């Protein structure tokens, strides 16, 4: 294609190859487009942030965007192995007793599933599935935050939830996100969810984000908090090393599961 390929032409060429083959790698694209691998990585990051492909180690894969936020059942089945690995790694972030907040989401649910039965914890959550899972556990004092239940996430949102969380100061808040970038911070597709996530983060002494690699490097509609509000990101090992370095440079500890 020659050395004078403009950015928009590169973007289109990369998307065409990704859609046709399902997956592309950095080295091949660099050769075909006659640019450096660093340029290709920047292009892939740009396209992922626009929701047009998904970064994986060494390249990118095609994604099918359906134009709306997927429901809980659809999200629960995606990247199940990575979410379990993230939850397992997140156990090291638990306080030695004390209190935690579990934000709504499939990865935080995976953590709730494996909370140690011998660890005494006070757990605050606005997630109906997490509350149902933990109700009756003898070692857990469960505090369910009320509000309006979103059918898509089965989590409480609204003024009641926000007011309840304003009275909480937990040792660690485990937060799920739909998007995380250094530029735009934590983001989510829904306004009401964004308000409650902001309240969850405000209620935690330490903030630990649990998110698989597909959420990193992308931006959704609603900004929640800057990335500097996060202490630790626990993600899976498919996250591009360039993004790991970028996030760590911003002051966030990154744990790869």
């Amino acid at each position: 294609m020659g050395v004078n390929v403009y950015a928009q032409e590169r973007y289109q060429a990369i998307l065409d190859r990704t859609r046709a083959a399902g997956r592309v790698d950095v080295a091949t694209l660099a050769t075909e487009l006659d640019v450096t691998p660093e340029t290709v990585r920047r292009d892939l990051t740009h396209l992922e942030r626009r929701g047009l492909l998904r970064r994986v180690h060494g390249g990118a894969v095609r994604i099918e965007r359906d134009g709306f936020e997927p429901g809980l059942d659809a999200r629960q089945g995606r990247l199940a192995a990575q979410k379990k690995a993230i939850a397992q790694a997140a156990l090291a972030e638990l306080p030695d007793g004390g209190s935690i907040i579990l934000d709504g989401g499939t990865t935080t649910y995976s953590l709730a599933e494996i909370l140690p039965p011998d660890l005494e914890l006070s757990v605050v959550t606005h997630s109906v599935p997490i509350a149902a899972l933990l109700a009756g556990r003898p070692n857990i004092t469960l505090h369910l935050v009320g509000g309006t239940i979103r059918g898509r996430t089965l989590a409480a949102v609204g003024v009641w939830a926000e007011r309840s969380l304003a009275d909480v100061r937990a040792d660690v808040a485990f937060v799920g996100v739909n998007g995380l970038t250094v530029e735009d911070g934590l983001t989510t597709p829904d306004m009401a969810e964004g308000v409650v996530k902001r309240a969850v983060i405000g209620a935690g002494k330490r903030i630990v984000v649990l998110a698989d690699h597909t959420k990193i490097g992308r931006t959704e509609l609603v900004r929640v908090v800057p990335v500097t509000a996060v202490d630790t990101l626990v993600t899976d090992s498919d996250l591009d090393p360039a993004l790991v370095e970028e996030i760590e440079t911003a002051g966030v500890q990154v744990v790869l599961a």
Side-chain angles (χ1 to χ4, degrees):
M1 294 187 64
V3 294
N4 294 318
V5 178
Y6 292 107
Q8 291 299 329
E9 293 174 333
R10 289 201 313 273
Y11 298 157
Q12 190 58 55
I14 290 170
L15 288 175
D16 289 344
R17 286 162 171 76
T18 306
R19 289 166 180 159
R23 180 182 180 117
V24 291
D25 66 84
V26 170
T28 300
L29 286 173
T31 300
E32 292 180 351
L33 300 176
D34 198 12
V35 294
T36 66
E38 290 72 21
T39 296
V40 172
R41 292 188 188 99
R42 286 196 297 269
D43 289 349
L44 294 180
T45 297
H46 172 82
L47 292 168
E48 183 175 57
R49 287 172 180 168
R50 291 173 57 192
L52 299 173
L53 50 73
R54 179 170 298 147
R55 296 292 306 274
V56 296
H57 184 63
V61 295
R62 178 182 61 211
I63 60 173
E64 301 298 335
R65 293 297 296 269
D66 51 18
F68 59 88
E69 182 185 4
L72 190 66
D73 289 342
R75 290 185 292 117
Q76 191 75 52
R78 294 180 181 175
L79 300 168
Q82 287 91 334
K83 290 173 183 178
K84 288 180 180 178
I86 291 168
Q88 192 67 42
L91 290 176
E93 306 299 326
L94 288 170
D96 186 16
S99 57
I100 66 172
I101 306 174
L102 290 177
D103 185 25
T106 55
T107 311
T108 48
Y109 184 90
S110 294
L111 174 59
E113 287 184 306
I114 60 170
L115 287 176
D118 58 345
L119 182 61
E120 296 284 339
L121 283 173
S122 291
V123 178
V124 178
T125 187
H126 65 120
S127 164
V128 173
I130 290 176
L133 177 69
L134 297 179
R137 285 272 297 267
N139 62 316
I140 287 176
T141 302
L142 179 64
H143 304 274
L144 177 59
V145 174
T148 302
I149 304 301
R150 283 194 76 216
R152 215 172 269 289
T153 61
L154 297 181
V157 297
V159 175
W160 288 357
E162 190 179 0
R163 285 177 180 169
S164 297
L165 288 163
D167 294 329
V168 173
R169 194 64 174 155
D171 295 316
V172 185
F174 292 95
V175 182
V177 295
N178 297 83
L180 186 154
T181 69
V182 170
E183 295 86 356
D184 296 318
L186 279 58
T187 54
T188 184
D190 183 79
M191 293 282 185
E193 290 273 359
V195 171
V196 173
K197 284 186 186 294
R198 197 173 299 124
V200 166
I201 291 167
K205 297 175 187 175
R206 288 187 62 245
I207 308 304
V208 179
V209 170
L210 309 183
D212 67 71
H213 72 278
T214 65
K215 311 292 177 53
I216 314 303
R218 68 187 293 173
T219 297
E220 295 291 350
L221 176 66
V222 181
R223 290 185 179 183
V224 180
V225 292
V227 74
T228 51
V230 178
D231 295 291
T232 302
L233 166 65
V234 184
T235 186
D236 60 84
S237 57
D238 284 331
L239 182 61
D240 188 278
L243 287 176
V244 173
E245 182 178 0
E246 184 180 352
I247 293 166
E248 288 184 330
T249 299
V252 180
Q253 178 190 21
V254 179
V255 175
L256 298 178

